[in-house]
Amino acid sequence: MKILKTTLALMVVLLASVAWAGEGLTEKQVESFYKKLGKLSNKGELREMAKLYHPHYELVDEVSGTKPLRYNRVSYFKEAVALQARVSRWRFEYEITSISVAPDGASAEVVSVHTNTLEGGGKSQTSRTVQKATIISSESGPLVRHTEVLESKLVSGGA
């Protein structure tokens, strides 16, 4: 009887994952996903945010500085935690300019404009980037797989 219950439980999990995989991503899901990321970022909930990034996540930024930057999921969130400790407040805003969902719904490419304002020590700095992200469908829901910074500029503050 125990084997039967275990087998049935495994079948339910398997069928649920197959059902999710069959649906794929939609434009509305991607929009909701970005909204969730924005809320988590503004609340400073980096641990929860990290769960929404693929274990093999990569960020490539070849336009923001004098040398290219590359982060994996661990280094990206390590840097974010260090930044969070140095500022008293940060504000993240985004505007999606395009969403292109693959025909099979396995992934989506999102181009968006991000405005980040950091405050601390009586100073404020606002930067704006244009980013292209790849969002993939997974059994647990959408995940950020890759981000490329296409444009970057300091809007106000800074050195």
Side-chain angles (χ1 to χ4, degrees):
M1 188 63 159
K2 187 175 181 181
I3 293 173
L4 180 60
K5 285 181 183 180
T6 304
T7 303
L8 288 173
L10 288 173
M11 286 178 60
V12 168
V13 169
L14 179 62
L15 289 174
S17 66
V18 170
W20 168 257
E23 289 178 25
L25 292 171
T26 66
E27 195 169 309
K28 188 155 183 80
Q29 284 176 320
V30 172
E31 289 170 349
S32 295
F33 180 68
Y34 261 68
K35 192 174 193 175
K36 183 176 183 176
L37 284 173
K39 285 181 181 180
L40 290 172
S41 179
N42 284 325
K43 289 180 179 180
E45 295 182 12
L46 298 176
R47 283 186 195 269
E48 287 303 308
M49 217 174 134
K51 294 175 185 177
L52 302 177
Y53 284 68
H54 190 275
H56 300 290
Y57 170 74
E58 180 182 44
L59 178 136
V60 177
D61 181 350
E62 296 182 347
V63 298
S64 295
T66 56
K67 67 178 192 172
L69 299 173
R70 292 188 181 279
Y71 293 100
N72 61 28
R73 185 172 100 171
V74 172
S75 62
Y76 177 74
F77 281 98
K78 186 176 181 179
E79 185 72 25
V81 168
L83 178 62
Q84 187 179 42
R86 291 192 311 262
V87 299
S88 58
R89 181 174 181 265
W90 71 25
R91 177 85 184 133
F92 169 79
E93 298 172 358
Y94 70 91
E95 177 187 346
I96 295 174
T97 58
S98 70
I99 299 173
S100 177
V101 178
D104 63 359
S107 65
E109 186 175 277
V110 181
V111 176
S112 54
V113 178
H114 297 241
T115 303
N116 298 292
T117 302
L118 307 174
E119 297 175 4
K123 297 179 182 179
S124 177
Q125 175 179 308
T126 300
S127 62
R128 185 167 293 129
T129 59
V130 177
Q131 300 181 7
K132 179 171 63 173
T134 302
I135 311 302
I136 61 168
S137 178
S138 75
E139 292 176 10
S140 61
L143 295 174
V144 183
R145 176 62 177 94
H146 183 269
T147 304
E148 179 181 356
V149 178
L150 303 174
E151 296 175 33
S152 178
K153 72 177 185 176
L154 186 61
V155 177
S156 66

